[in-house]
Amino acid sequence: MKNNYEQLKEMFTEMVVKKNASLIPKYYHPDFLLYSNGKIMDFDEMVRMHEDIYKTEIQYKVEYDEDISLEQDDKVAVRMYITTSRPDDAEKELELMLIAQYLDGKIYRVWELTFPDWSQDKKFQESLDKL
């Protein structure tokens, strides 16, 4: 059985990088809540957002700072970098400090800070507005 950190990395590889929103129920608990940069998102909002984003031409690359990652009981804390790219646009790197809590083998809560704040990214909002 995979530990939670391995499951988290698998989720980013299989769901985010491959843009496969159908895997959300495999990795996320139905009572999921995301606390990101002062905003709260529930499971349904997260599903809608990922389905919408994955329809765009955005691509993801994910890297982990293995020296700053730890797992204890039902929580994983990790520092990671997500680089996004779109055709005809420069790559953008986000640094994340993330704590994920698991329940029943699925991501139940995530507390994260991103730099820069992804929700303030104009290109991100423009992509969603075009859908």
Side-chain angles (χ1 to χ4, degrees):
M1 183 172 177
K2 292 182 177 127
N3 65 30
N4 293 332
Y5 182 47
E6 290 169 339
Q7 285 184 319
L8 183 74
K9 289 171 39 172
E10 177 184 284
M11 181 276 298
F12 276 104
T13 299
E14 297 300 319
M15 188 190 96
V16 176
V17 172
K18 294 180 180 178
K19 298 173 30 172
N20 186 351
S22 71
L23 292 175
I24 292 172
K26 175 181 178 180
Y27 294 108
Y28 287 87
H29 193 280
D31 295 326
F32 169 79
L33 289 174
L34 168 67
Y35 300 87
S36 181
N37 302 321
K39 295 172 180 47
I40 301 172
M41 185 180 304
D42 67 16
F43 181 86
D44 292 335
E45 291 172 294
M46 188 264 301
V47 169
R48 279 191 303 276
M49 184 185 78
H50 281 86
E51 287 174 343
D52 289 346
I53 292 168
Y54 292 171
K55 291 176 189 173
T56 71
E57 294 181 320
I58 194 167
Q59 297 296 310
Y60 298 95
K61 180 175 75 175
V62 180
E63 299 174 73
Y64 304 89
D65 185 341
E66 300 291 348
D67 295 331
I68 311 291
S69 300
L70 74 102
E71 180 171 356
Q72 184 173 355
D73 301 323
D74 63 347
K75 292 183 182 77
V76 175
V78 63
R79 178 183 183 203
M80 59 188 294
Y81 302 89
I82 299 176
T83 303
T84 61
S85 60
R86 296 172 182 88
D88 303 321
D89 203 3
E91 288 186 347
K92 182 166 193 154
E93 182 179 82
L94 294 172
E95 178 180 2
L96 286 79
M97 295 298 295
L98 178 148
I99 300 170
Q101 180 181 18
Y102 280 75
L103 179 65
D104 301 329
K106 295 183 179 190
I107 301 169
Y108 176 64
R109 298 283 185 266
V110 170
W111 297 268
E112 72 177 15
L113 294 174
T114 68
F115 181 79
D117 182 344
W118 64 266
S119 68
Q120 301 301 313
D121 183 312
K122 289 179 183 174
K123 292 279 188 189
F124 176 79
Q125 291 303 323
E126 288 171 9
S127 294
L128 292 179
D129 291 343
K130 290 178 184 176
L131 296 172

